[in-house]
Amino acid sequence: MKIEEKLSEMIKIETVSEIGKSNIEKFERFQDKLRELFPLTFRTVEFNSFDGALLLRWKGMDSSKRPLVLMSHQDVVEATGEWIHGPFSGDIADGAVWGRGTVDTKGSLCAIFEAVERLIGEGYTPEMDVYISSSSSEEISGDGAVLSVKYLKERNIRPALVLDEGGMIKSEPLKGAKGRFAMMGTLEKGTCNFRFVARGKGGHASAPGKNTPLVRLGKFMAECEKHDPFTARMNDTTIEMFRRLGKHTSGVMGFVLRHAKVLSPLLNKALPKINTLATAMIKTTLAFTTAGGSNGLNVLPERAYVTGNSRVIQHEDADYTENKLRQVAAKYDIEVETIMKHSSCPVVDHNGKMFKFVENAIVSNFPGVIPTPYAMTGGTDGRHFSEICENVIRFAPLEINEQQYQSIHGLNENIGIECLEPGVAFYQNIIRDLYHQ
């Protein structure tokens, strides 16, 4: 069976994860399909499962060596709206495989399994242990990866390298940067969720007082947007990313990018005004996401709330973020409830041996592609592995175009067939070459 056909079969099994719902049956069906598609792998590996999260161990010749972990999650987000091809059709058409999860992240999961399946078929045994880690709850920040890390930590297993989802290969990741770039996530921001609560006396809406709960919440949100409580500061990862992109960017923009380190004070002030994505790479962000008030159109709420999702940069940890928001909220008599709070992950050294190893593998497998570190604004399961590995690199070796990039969590998600075989070859070379650098 061709690899695109295998991916198609994986897409046909709906694996949407939902908060508060047991999803174990659908993931068991998905894993049965994996056994069918990759029989040699499942006959060879040691199998562990934590509430649907897979942790497979392919035993190497020397288990005393620090192992390799290859990651990509099984679960996907919901698929609403009108699709050209059904979101769980797995259609193969127009040179692509279509459906929810093709990019995020069953495409890379398929490439990982296919790489291992082929190597086992060749009679190959890795020099070190190789783990495949695949959570069933990444999209809902579940505990699959947490339990996998706990399992490894209890056995004093510290991987030499962890490769998870994150950046991919894409043309012109920043407007004006000409070329194909492999975006290697080395910095992952922390995540905090807060509930901001305003209380009042309630009553009939026909005779409202001043500064009712919703009004105070509105003033609070307006201040956070107008007078941002967080500070932008260029970091080493973004400076290096700009430097590499700048080599392939002409004009004034290219000059600025190439000299980002010297121009940091200027960029700290300018970027928040001109580029939201670049800004998110150098500062803590806050987005208001949900809200609630009274249930009656003519009733003043006794309690109203909004929630805020904050992505925390390295120079301002989660405690700092919470304290700054409490200070602003206090002006409007608003309570702050912490739903979740995690600081950012340790940053992977882009001058380090493992980064250089993955960088060289990219150059060897993808001629003409330019590797670059970058600061991830979203979250991954890889953050949990930072506890036991200093080299957690967020990169999936698949090349996507702008439409495919925009389709992540959106409509018409699809992945080009031609990018799958190079992805398999990349993972095979990572497995073969880890201890032959």
Side-chain angles (χ1 to χ4, degrees):
M1 185 182 289
K2 295 179 180 178
I3 186 170
E4 63 267 27
E5 295 171 340
K6 292 186 178 184
L7 177 56
S8 172
E9 291 298 309
M10 292 165 65
I11 298 302
K12 289 175 184 177
I13 299 179
E14 181 260 287
T15 54
V16 175
S17 53
E18 301 171 87
I19 295 175
K21 292 187 178 181
S22 175
N23 302 298
I24 190 67
E25 294 84 3
K26 66 175 69 176
F27 289 102
E28 287 175 345
R29 288 196 298 273
F30 180 74
Q31 290 163 22
D32 286 343
K33 177 59 67 174
L34 292 179
R35 288 184 177 89
E36 177 187 320
L37 296 173
F38 308 103
L40 295 178
T41 299
F42 280 87
R43 286 203 294 266
T44 304
V45 301
E46 173 189 300
F47 181 90
N48 293 285
S49 178
F50 308 100
D51 296 330
L54 293 178
L55 183 65
L56 309 181
R57 177 196 179 208
W58 182 16
K59 191 175 186 304
M61 292 185 289
D62 187 353
S63 293
S64 68
K65 291 185 175 180
R66 295 181 67 180
L68 168 69
V69 178
L70 303 176
M71 297 180 66
S72 204
H73 57 85
Q74 307 163 59
D75 63 322
V76 300
V77 298
E78 64 179 358
T80 56
E82 296 293 325
W83 288 54
I84 297 171
H85 298 272
F88 302 104
S89 66
D91 284 352
I92 300 174
D94 302 321
V97 183
W98 296 78
R100 176 62 83 220
T102 46
V103 181
D104 185 17
T105 59
K106 290 181 180 178
S108 53
L109 183 62
C110 184
I112 289 170
F113 271 105
E114 184 69 7
V116 172
E117 184 80 0
R118 292 182 188 181
L119 288 173
I120 293 173
E122 295 170 4
Y124 178 82
T125 300
E127 193 160 337
M128 66 289 153
D129 289 354
V130 176
Y131 287 87
I132 300 175
S133 175
S134 184
S135 168
S136 57
S137 57
E138 191 276 345
E139 296 290 4
I140 56 174
S141 299
D143 63 357
V146 175
L147 294 173
S148 295
V149 170
K150 181 175 181 289
Y151 175 90
L152 295 173
K153 189 176 180 181
E154 287 172 348
R155 287 156 180 77
N156 198 32
I157 296 169
R158 297 183 57 83
L161 172 66
V162 175
L163 278 178
D164 193 13
E165 64 162 328
M168 302 177 83
I169 300 172
K170 188 174 180 295
S171 297
E172 201 170 355
L174 192 67
K175 190 172 178 59
K178 303 301 182 183
R180 296 156 59 225
F181 296 86
M183 307 305 293
M184 304 166 63
T186 56
L187 179 159
E188 182 174 328
K189 298 171 75 174
T191 302
C192 297
N193 286 316
F194 302 105
R195 184 180 294 108
F196 305 99
V197 180
R199 302 184 188 276
K201 296 179 180 179
H204 201 287
S206 62
K210 298 293 184 182
N211 284 321
T212 55
L214 287 171
V215 172
R216 300 203 315 273
L217 286 169
K219 290 179 178 179
F220 165 69
M221 289 188 285
E223 176 166 338
C224 288
E225 184 165 300
K226 186 174 182 181
H227 303 289
D228 193 329
F230 306 113
T231 304
R233 183 186 301 170
M234 292 290 290
N235 51 69
D236 289 344
T237 297
T238 305
I239 288 172
E240 180 64 14
M241 181 190 78
F242 283 170
R243 186 185 72 81
R244 296 191 187 195
L245 294 177
K247 290 181 178 179
H248 305 274
T249 307
S250 60
V252 174
M253 179 59 74
F255 176 86
V256 171
L257 293 176
R258 291 191 298 274
H259 297 86
K261 186 171 185 178
V262 175
L263 298 174
S264 287
L266 174 63
L267 289 171
N268 290 338
K269 294 179 180 179
L271 280 180
K273 299 177 182 178
I274 60 176
N275 190 302
T276 55
L277 181 57
T279 300
M281 295 182 184
I282 63 171
K283 69 179 292 296
T284 296
T285 58
L286 174 65
F288 295 103
T289 52
T290 70
S294 72
N295 293 321
L297 294 177
N298 60 351
V299 179
L300 294 171
E302 294 181 7
R303 176 184 180 275
Y305 73 90
V306 296
T307 57
N309 176 266
S310 191
R311 301 302 172 114
V312 181
I313 199 66
Q314 271 65 16
H315 63 266
E316 295 175 341
D317 66 15
D319 290 337
Y320 177 93
T321 299
E322 180 181 355
N323 290 335
K324 290 294 286 187
L325 292 173
R326 287 187 181 277
Q327 291 172 20
V328 180
K331 298 180 185 179
Y332 304 98
D333 191 22
I334 291 173
E335 304 165 14
V336 180
E337 300 174 358
T338 301
I339 301 171
M340 180 181 74
K341 187 172 70 170
H342 296 295
S343 292
S344 57
C345 301
V347 180
V348 177
D349 182 6
H350 61 260
N351 291 311
K353 181 179 179 181
M354 282 301 165
F355 182 90
K356 296 292 186 186
F357 166 61
V358 179
E359 188 176 37
N360 290 336
I362 291 169
V363 172
S364 297
N365 281 271
F366 303 98
V369 169
I370 304 146
T372 178
Y374 91 109
M376 288 194 58
T377 56
T380 70
D381 271 339
R383 69 185 183 276
H384 303 295
F385 281 78
S386 293
E387 185 179 349
I388 58 172
C389 180
E390 65 277 18
N391 295 297
V392 181
I393 297 176
R394 289 86 168 170
F395 172 71
L398 302 177
E399 186 161 2
I400 58 173
N401 59 35
E402 183 63 23
Q403 184 278 324
Q404 291 163 341
Y405 173 74
Q406 295 296 335
S407 75
I408 299 172
H409 290 204
L411 292 173
N412 300 318
E413 188 176 351
N414 70 94
I415 195 83
I417 292 171
E418 75 284 349
C419 80
L420 296 174
E421 284 293 345
V424 173
F426 172 86
Y427 284 123
Q428 287 180 318
N429 289 339
I430 289 289
I431 292 168
R432 287 193 186 103
D433 297 339
L434 183 64
Y435 281 96
H436 297 279
Q437 303 174 50

